[in-house]
Amino acid sequence: MNLTDILYPVASIGGLGLVFGLALGYAGKIFKVEEDPRIGDVRACLPGANCGGCGFPGCDGFAQAVVAGSAPVNGCPVGGTKCAQAVGAVMGVAVEAKEKYVAYVKCAGNFTDAIFRYDYYGIADCRAVSMLAGGGSKQCAYGCLGSGSCVRACGFDALSLIDGIAKVDPEKCTACGMCVPKCPRKLIELVPYSADYRVGCNSLDHGKTVRANCKVGCISCKMCEKACNYDAVHVTNNLAKIDYDKCVRCGECERKCPTHCIKLISADNVAKEREREMQKDMKEQDAK
């Protein structure tokens, strides 16, 4: 074999590569789809969480949808008002300040207050637990299952398991909504950040049954409804609900609730509970 036998195939392949490269480059210019420059501008305004809370596949998908007119300029729950106003400026749309929302787990039935049928040591997945006999270890068929599926879904470290139930840190929560579909009992809802008083129960059982299942459940006594002078609290289907548009945060409903089902939620209280839980876990680890 001489040198010509080697160079000829190499030159042929190289030539073909050059031809194909030129052809692809030319085709790219001919068939190039011009992107609206506003897409990049909108993308630059977004926090880059790519959480999907807006309902689109990441921040790129949301930016494209905004420019296409299929998504609102304030559709990013993570960025908040500042982000919405920046996106609005790009799109030439005025954006009013929007109240922050946070996730809330409608259950206060922890290890102390809820009644348990048995101890569960299986897979740490709420959907798996809900498929067990009786729907889980708690007697209440509406309470938090405590396996942390919502905690693992949160990309902002805003959820944690404290004394057997999931709790949200309102300072860290971005209302992305990723935790909501993870709860098989539909316990998590998005509420206004300013909604200090919240009902910590989701049970639709009658009061007698609730008392047998949990010490802090709503027994549908309507004491909160009678105490409210602003028509903001009503008991429907055996469960108290607060209309946050009417609530003036006077606290009368909390003071009258005999089971302390209605609670004043504050970031400080959640932070303290979380710290206590971490210290408890550390002590248990040291004991082992």
Side-chain angles (χ1 to χ4, degrees):
M1 179 180 292
N2 54 38
L3 186 60
T4 304
D5 294 333
I6 297 174
L7 292 176
Y8 182 74
V10 172
S12 298
I13 294 172
L16 287 172
L18 178 61
V19 170
F20 286 133
L22 291 171
L24 288 172
Y26 180 73
K29 289 183 177 181
I30 294 297
F31 298 106
K32 181 181 178 181
V33 178
E34 294 292 337
E35 181 179 271
D36 191 318
R38 293 178 299 172
I39 294 176
D41 295 338
V42 171
R43 178 65 181 82
C45 298
L46 303 177
N50 289 312
C51 61
C54 58
F56 294 91
C59 294
D60 288 332
F62 175 68
Q64 293 172 11
V66 168
V67 174
S70 56
V73 294
N74 62 351
C76 174
V78 177
T81 299
K82 186 177 180 180
C83 170
Q85 291 175 338
V87 174
V90 172
M91 299 301 297
V93 178
V95 178
E96 296 182 0
K98 183 180 179 182
E99 182 175 10
K100 177 183 177 180
Y101 271 65
V102 294
Y104 175 60
V105 182
K106 299 178 289 182
C107 179
N110 55 29
F111 287 136
T112 303
D113 296 319
I115 308 301
F116 289 78
R117 288 188 289 254
Y118 54 84
D119 293 328
Y120 175 73
Y121 297 101
I123 301 171
D125 180 80
C126 294
R127 198 166 297 279
V129 174
S130 68
M131 294 179 183
L132 297 175
S137 58
K138 280 184 179 178
Q139 282 195 178
C140 177
Y142 300 89
C144 176
L145 293 162
S147 285
S149 293
C150 57
V151 176
R152 291 185 291 276
C154 181
F156 303 94
D157 191 36
L159 272 150
S160 54
L161 285 177
I162 299 177
D163 201 13
I165 56 174
K167 290 201 173 183
V168 179
D169 184 336
E171 296 303 313
K172 293 182 177 181
C173 181
T174 62
C176 70
M178 296 303 290
C179 58
V180 176
K182 294 297 181 180
C183 180
R185 290 190 168 170
K186 298 180 172 32
L187 280 171
I188 307 175
E189 66 178 5
L190 300 180
V191 301
Y193 176 85
S194 62
D196 304 285
Y197 294 94
R198 303 175 195 170
V199 179
C201 183
N202 197 47
S203 176
L204 301 180
D205 287 332
H206 291 285
K208 183 179 180 180
T209 302
V210 173
R211 281 190 179 278
N213 293 337
C214 183
K215 297 176 184 177
V216 292
C218 177
I219 56 175
S220 58
C221 65
K222 295 193 176 184
M223 291 292 289
C224 54
E225 184 176 308
K226 295 172 184 175
C228 182
N229 293 320
Y230 302 93
D231 193 39
V233 187
H234 289 281
V235 176
T236 307
N237 293 329
N238 299 319
L239 181 63
K241 292 186 178 181
I242 299 175
D243 184 339
Y244 297 120
D245 291 331
K246 295 180 179 179
C247 179
V248 298
R249 302 190 289 279
C250 66
E252 281 301 311
C253 57
E254 181 201 29
R255 286 187 281 274
K256 294 295 183 179
C257 180
T259 63
H260 305 293
C261 169
I262 299 178
K263 296 179 179 293
L264 173 62
I265 304 297
S266 72
D268 289 340
N269 289 341
V270 174
K272 289 176 182 177
E273 288 181 331
R274 195 173 191 181
E275 185 177 351
R276 284 196 295 268
E277 188 71 12
M278 291 175 65
Q279 291 175 350
K280 177 183 174 183
D281 291 342
M282 290 175 64
K283 288 181 180 179
E284 290 177 352
Q285 290 295 328
D286 292 341
K288 292 179 181 180

